[in-house]
Amino acid sequence: MHHLAARSEQVLGALPVAAADRAVAAGLPPWRAAEHLASRTLLRFLLREVGEDAGGGPVAALPGGRPYLPGRPGLGVSLSHSPGWVAAAVGRGRDVGVDVQVPAAVGDRLLRLCCLPGDADALAALPGDARRLGFARVFAVQEACVKAVGKGLSGRPWTVPVPLGARTGAWNRVRWSAPRDDDRVPVACAWTVPPAPAPERVRRPGGP
């Protein structure tokens, strides 16, 4: 599992943009085009860094919006954007999800929907900046987890239990990590764990 997050302007100012991405972005509103170009440019950079160069090929999307690389079924990829920031993730042999969250104002109702009961009370008692950051950490993990199983809001991210302050955890067949290298803008990554193979039945000599 590999992931990166960066400011959109830094990505577009430092890295080459693929012609395939420019062609798609040409039909988008300016703000959406910038997000599209920055996220895919960061993904292509990450792919090169881990030895999985996508070349100039397209980064396609399934009907629900999940990105994938045509012809590379064994490689999971994920993208995220939040105002001024983008993130990308790559995983070999598994599905992945990544999410970046620029902290924003959050009301008590949303806190109680998304957070564990005691954690919601703890966040609600914090001053504004700390409250926004704490919630962004939780929701980044929740979003990354549902992306890892191929869903967005339809996956009901608010139902993923994320203890306040946790940096790693699990949800069903998904594992997640939320490092805090840059605590101002939380980033979380999640990945699926392949199911264990069914045990083989060994035939005993002279019997079933």
Side-chain angles (χ1 to χ4, degrees):
M1 264 302 309
H2 307 272
H3 75 279
L4 284 175
R7 291 185 180 276
S8 301
E9 60 184 19
Q10 292 176 335
V11 172
L12 295 177
L15 298 173
V17 177
D21 298 334
R22 288 192 186 278
V24 175
L28 300 174
W31 64 272
R32 182 69 186 94
E35 289 179 343
H36 179 94
L37 293 174
S39 60
R40 282 153 181 78
T41 299
L42 185 64
L43 174 63
R44 291 179 188 278
F45 172 79
L46 180 58
L47 287 165
R48 291 192 295 271
E49 288 293 295
V50 301
E52 297 284 359
D53 195 345
V59 178
L62 296 172
R66 182 175 192 162
Y68 72 98
L69 301 178
R72 309 281 286 279
L75 197 64
V77 297
S78 183
L79 300 169
S80 177
H81 51 79
S82 191
W85 284 76
V86 289
V90 176
R92 295 184 180 96
R94 64 193 66 227
D95 294 319
V96 297
V98 70
D99 196 70
V100 57
Q101 289 285 330
V102 173
V106 55
D108 288 350
R109 183 176 179 182
L110 190 57
L111 283 179
R112 301 192 187 287
L113 174 66
C114 297
C115 300
L116 297 171
D119 291 347
D121 291 339
L123 285 176
L126 293 176
D129 287 348
R131 171 179 170 145
R132 288 190 286 270
L133 179 58
F135 178 77
R137 289 175 184 157
V138 169
F139 199 64
V141 172
Q142 293 175 325
E143 281 279 296
C145 285
V146 295
K147 287 182 178 181
V149 296
K151 298 179 180 180
L153 289 178
S154 65
R156 296 167 57 85
W158 52 88
T159 65
V160 179
V162 180
L164 194 62
R167 298 194 181 193
T168 60
W171 171 64
N172 298 334
R173 286 183 47 245
V174 175
R175 303 292 181 268
W176 58 263
S177 173
R180 296 185 187 169
D181 296 334
D182 186 345
D183 225 10
R184 298 167 301 162
V185 180
V187 180
C189 190
W191 59 96
T192 56
V193 177
E200 296 184 5
R201 183 180 181 186
V202 178
R203 187 181 181 87
R204 297 179 181 177

